[in-house]
Amino acid sequence: MKKFSNKTIARAFLYIRILDDRIQNKQKYISSQELSDISGLTDVQIRKDISLFGKVGKPRVGYDTKELRGFLEAFVLKSTVRAVLFGVGNLGQAILKYPGFQTEKIKIVAAFDKDSRKVGKKINGVAIYAMKDVSRVIHRSRAQIAIIATPSEASQEIAGIITKSGLKGIINFAPSSLVVPKGVSVRNIDLSIEFLSLFYDIHSSRKRRKS
Amino acid sequence: MKKFSNKTIARAFLYIRILDDRIQNKQKYISSQELSDISGLTDVQIRKDISLFGKVGKPRVGYDTKELRGFLEAFVLKSTVRAVLFGVGNLGQAILKYPGFQTEKIKIVAAFDKDSRKVGKKINGVAIYAMKDVSRVIHRSRAQIAIIATPSEASQEIAGIITKSGLKGIINFAPSSLVVPKGVSVRNIDLSIEFLSLFYDIHSSRKRRKS
DNA sequence: AACCAATCGTTACAATCTTCACGATTAAAT
DNA sequence: ATTTAATCGTGAAGATTGTAACGATTGGTT
Ligand SMILES: NC(=O)c1ccc[n+]([C@@H]2O[C@H](COP(=O)([O-])OP(=O)(O)OC[C@H]3O[C@@H](n4cnc5c(N)ncnc54)[C@H](O)[C@@H]3O)[C@@H](O)[C@H]2O)c1
Ligand SMILES: NC(=O)c1ccc[n+]([C@@H]2O[C@H](COP(=O)([O-])OP(=O)(O)OC[C@H]3O[C@@H](n4cnc5c(N)ncnc54)[C@H](O)[C@@H]3O)[C@@H](O)[C@H]2O)c1
């Protein structure tokens, strides 16, 4: 399989989202310039990204919205992403309640918590299981990735449970760095560091480009 | 002021967090190798990052934990980050309840919502105000950055309100790209794209490096 | 005192990512 | 049919980021 960089892939999903919106509005064509205005990226970057996948634009008119969307999806959207969640606390509940994680593209299929008062309940249709059921539930639900929303003290242990269950992708919200076997991908979403580095940004540079 | 890349700065905050932990445990010295094991970054990268700020390590022993922390903080931590939150929904409430955002380093000082049933309440000590009070409250609380946790339809309008109030930094959780005046920095935290691109990762590459 | 082993700091190198410059293409206008 | 202007696609240049190699330093050991 051909390799595209993470950054290109992330932007491709952004293009798809924009295209979905425009298709909804019955817009037939979109130019790299218009995509640039909407996304904040440069038009060249957009054309370059798209051209990595193949030639699909029409000179003088731009890209056919539906065609481009189908084109990009064929490369990046393999199937529905099925995720399980660890830690049904404040953040975990917000995630469970988010409609955007119960779509055809992304679906949270189960949640786990060590707190027995939460086990057995359902949030937004997603059942909360005890930790002893992890392996069974993951296999039965054919989950592909896991979300860690437990306290950071527990995150490494849970990462171990996740990888032992065979999952190859982890989104980690805990402010900790996980050690995982080779072949497992981890995305750390570290909000404190986002806040702090944004603040640094503001104070260090007075002349800045866009986002 | 000297310029360090965003990535270096983000890593510096990570180093500080690790150092805080080690200082708590009375550890006097730490080597780039040990920092590497903990963080998942390479030892070379760590030494390089630190050396950009200056010479502080001791050959043969490593870095003095307290000294290094003080050193890094002097460069990156200007003062407490004071943030305001827009949208006290599922995600917004999780953020308000998070103790990590009520520390000396990061403090959420006010929240806003258009829902009058939420206005007037307090969550974790943070008062929720009506939208008409934005400007006044932002100035009085001397907030420096804003968090957008409203539906994406409202995000652009709110970004306008934020920048009109003089804030120069925005953390945006809505799946939308904001248009902001020059000089304003935006960090988009787009969880759906994180999920999707992680999933792509898993399926495209079978031989991968660490996180 | 001399040596050794661990560790830092730095310069050179490599890889990745973005921007630039410009030719190719095509719809529309005349 | 020719011209024109908008737009795409892309190789080359440039910028940024990460890696490697290795000398410099120093605490401990013999
Ligand atoms: N809430 C936020 O806005 C926010 C922001 C940044 C980072 N985080 C991080 O996200 C994580 C979750 O935050 P939160 O605010 O939801 O915390 P929380 O305390 O509200 O919830 C944690 C949940 O994890 C469960 N849990 C604890 N140990 C467990 C274990 N070993 N196995 C299974 N479940 C376990 C608890 O029962 C609880 O339900 C934390 O690591 C936190 O640092 C949260
Ligand atoms: N919850 C999640 O896990 C999650 C995940 C990814 C992205 N997001 C994004 O984060 C944002 C918030 O998500 P949520 O789940 O908290 O949504 P939510 O619907 O629970 O909360 C939205 C809040 O914003 C308030 N609001 C709406 N319009 C407003 C306006 N014009 N001015 C002020 N306040 C306004 C509402 O009253 C409500 O309290 C959304 O853009 C969502 O797409 C959320």
Side-chain angles (χ1 to χ4, degrees), chain A residues 31-32 47-48 55-57 60 63:
Chain A
S31 67
S32 57
R47 287 202 299 282
K48 186 118 202 192
K55 293 190 187 185
V56 64
R60 187 62 204 255
Y63 302 93

Side-chain angles (χ1 to χ4, degrees), chain A residues 94-95 98 101, chain B residues 87-92 113-115 118 131 149-152 154 158 173-175 191:
Chain A
I95 289 172
Y98 183 53
F101 295 154
Chain B
V88 187
N90 291 315
L91 184 57
D113 203 294
K114 72 164 187 187
D115 184 341
K118 290 173 178 165
M131 295 302 290
T150 63
S152 62
I158 289 178
F173 285 96
L191 300 183

Side-chain angles (χ1 to χ4, degrees), chain A residues 129-144:
Chain A
Y129 296 92
M131 295 302 290
K132 69 177 169 56
D133 295 325
V134 168
S135 179
R136 184 176 58 82
V137 173
I138 283 183
H139 290 125
R140 218 185 37 195
S141 63
R142 291 171 329 199
Q144 298 137 330

